[in-house]
Amino acid sequence: MTTKLNISQTDQVAHPRSVERLVSGMATSDGAGVKLTRVLTQPLQRRLDPFLMLDAFLSDDPSDYIGGFPDHPHRGFETVTYMIAGNLRHRDNAGHEGLLQNGGVQWMVAGRGIIHSEMPEQEEGRMEGFQLWLNLPAGEKMCPPWYRDTPASELPGFVTPEGVAVKVIAGVSHGVTGAEVRSRTAPLYLDIHLPAGQSFAQALPAGHNAFIYVYRGELRLGESAVPEKKMAILTNDAAADGVVLKCNVATRALLIAGQPLNEPIAQHGPFVMNTQQELYEAVNDYQNGRF
Ligand code: FE2
C-alpha cells in the first residue's frame, strides 16, 4: 500500500507555520500499571481541540507494560491506537476481538459506550506505540460504537522523491487517502520517517489545530528545533498554508492536525461529553450495565 510519488505530486508550502511552544509531556501510568508519557494532557484540550489526549508508550521492560489495560469503559470520543512494536490484544463487550501488531492501527469510535480491554500478548521484548483520543461532535457522541483494525500491510503510505516515507493513518496527504477519513473533525494523522538531511512539506488548512511529536531524532521547523520526545504545538496563522519539516539526522515524527469543534468539553476519566449532566448519565449508565 506504499505509493511512490513523483515531484509533481508533492505538496508545496509557501508560508509554513512555526513552533508556538514545546511540550515535554508527563510521565504517568494507566490501566494496570502501564508506564507511559501523557504528551497531550488535559490542560491542552482546548488549545488542541479536537484532540483530547496523546499517550506515548515505549519500554523494553515487561514490568512496565505486562499489566495492560483490563476491562474499562469509554463514551463520547474516538481512540486511535498505533503500534510501532509489540502485540496488543483487544476485546470488547460486543464480542469483537483483534490483535494490534507492529505498524498496525486500531480506530475505535466509542460513541454511546463500549467496555474493552487492551492487553499485551507478549512476555518480553519491546512495546512501543501511541494512543490518540479524538473528540466527537455533540451530535455524534451517542452514536453506535464501532472499530476497525488496519494491519501494517494495509496501511496507506507513500515515499517522496527525497526518500521520505509517510504512513497515512487518517486524512489525505499528497493525494494519498489514509486508513480513516472523518468528516467533522477532518483529522490528519501521519507517521513521517525522514532520512538525514531531508525535508517534508505538508499542506494544512489554516484553521486546523496541529502538533508534532518527534519519537526518533530531531526536527527543525524554521528557526526552531524540536528534540526527541517533545511535542511541538504549531502556530495558528491565517496566512500559513502548511508546515515544512527538516532534519539533520534520521528522524521519525507524528504530525497530527484537525478541525476544532469549539464545543464545551466535560471529562470524567474515560467519559468525554459536553456537560456535567451528561457525565453523570454516563457514569450511571455504565454502573447500571447500559453500555
Ligand atoms: Fe481503552
Side-chain angles (χ1 to χ4, degrees), residues 69 72-74 79 108 116 118 131 133:
F69 302 89
H72 59 278
H74 294 286
T79 69
M108 182 180 86
H116 74 162
E118 300 154 291
Q131 188 169 86
W133 287 12

Side-chain angles (χ1 to χ4, degrees), residues 59-171:
S59 180
D60 296 308
D61 177 357
S63 67
D64 287 344
Y65 61 73
I66 206 73
F69 302 89
D71 276 350
H72 59 278
H74 294 286
R75 175 182 278 185
F77 59 99
E78 317 187 26
T79 69
V80 187
T81 309
Y82 179 42
M83 295 296 287
I84 304 294
N87 302 290
L88 204 59
R89 173 73 62 181
H90 156 93
R91 286 190 179 91
D92 73 22
N93 62 329
H96 300 122
E97 183 173 336
L99 186 64
L100 272 156
Q101 289 177 295
N102 309 351
V105 175
Q106 184 207 65
W107 198 287
M108 182 180 86
V109 175
R112 65 178 173 237
I114 200 160
I115 301 168
H116 74 162
S117 61
E118 300 154 291
M119 300 299 290
E121 199 152 284
Q122 64 188 44
E123 288 170 0
E124 55 181 25
R126 173 165 291 199
M127 181 74 77
E128 180 177 18
F130 304 95
Q131 188 169 86
L132 178 73
W133 287 12
L134 168 64
N135 210 353
L136 279 167
E140 293 176 34
K141 282 186 176 289
M142 295 298 277
C143 72
W146 57 267
Y147 73 92
R148 185 176 297 134
D149 286 334
T150 304
S153 60
E154 292 173 19
L155 190 60
F158 60 87
V159 179
T160 70
E162 296 80 25
V164 177
V166 178
K167 294 290 181 193
V168 188
I169 296 164

Side-chain angles (χ1 to χ4, degrees), residues 21-44:
R21 60 182 277 212
L22 295 178
V23 175
S24 296
M26 186 180 77
T28 184
S29 71
D30 208 340
V34 178
K35 287 195 179 140
L36 50 83
T37 302
R38 187 142 297 160
V39 180
L40 197 175
T41 53
Q42 218 167 342
L44 293 170

Side-chain angles (χ1 to χ4, degrees), residues 41 45-47 64 70 88 95 121 143 155 180 183 202 205 266 275:
T41 53
Q45 287 175 341
R46 182 51 57 197
R47 173 63 188 85
D64 287 344
L88 204 59
E121 199 152 284
C143 72
L155 190 60
E180 212 60 62
S183 56
Q202 174 64 49
T275 66

